[in-house]
Amino acid sequence: MSSLLIILMLTAVIGLAAVCAALVLALRLKRLQKQLRNDNPPPAEEGASHDKAADFQTPLRQATLLQRLQQNQPQRPAPDKYRLAAEMASQGMTAQQIADLLMLPPAEVRQLVSLSRAGRSKTLPAGTLDAAAT
């Protein structure tokens, strides 16, 4: 009978420990859920007013950053390989021929050629690009 009593007592202790652990975990879960709610407020319902200033701040920051980047662009000369690739492309060489001569990957040369063409089209007077396309 004493072994049965010991088994019952051990079972009771283990059960009590499991209940305590469940309570501790439940309290921790509640605390974490509360933190999540505080960190991430629920989205505004339809028809409810939302913060228009916050909606305006993101595009304003992006526009300000873009303006600063455009103003602070240093006008450095292009590296020799870029100038050579643009020059060879303007003489009618293919990207593969240029890549072979300059020992560059063909994908890089294609990108350099397209960038040089884009740069030239910015500096051309209005209407020149239309006339060149026809």
Side-chain angles (χ1 to χ4, degrees), residues 96-119:
Q96 186 61 50
Q97 292 169 332
I98 297 170
D100 291 340
L101 285 173
L102 296 179
M103 291 184 274
L104 295 171
E108 184 178 353
V109 172
R110 283 191 294 274
Q111 184 68 34
L112 293 173
V113 169
S114 65
L115 287 173
S116 71
R117 286 183 183 144

Side-chain angles (χ1 to χ4, degrees), residues 50-79:
H50 60 282
D51 190 7
K52 291 183 181 181
D55 291 345
F56 182 71
Q57 290 299 321
T58 300
L60 180 63
R61 279 190 218 111
Q62 290 173 349
T64 304
L65 180 61
L66 179 62
Q67 185 180 20
R68 283 181 37 214
L69 287 172
Q70 288 173 345
Q71 286 175 351
N72 294 331
Q73 282 184 341
Q75 295 299 323
R76 298 178 294 195

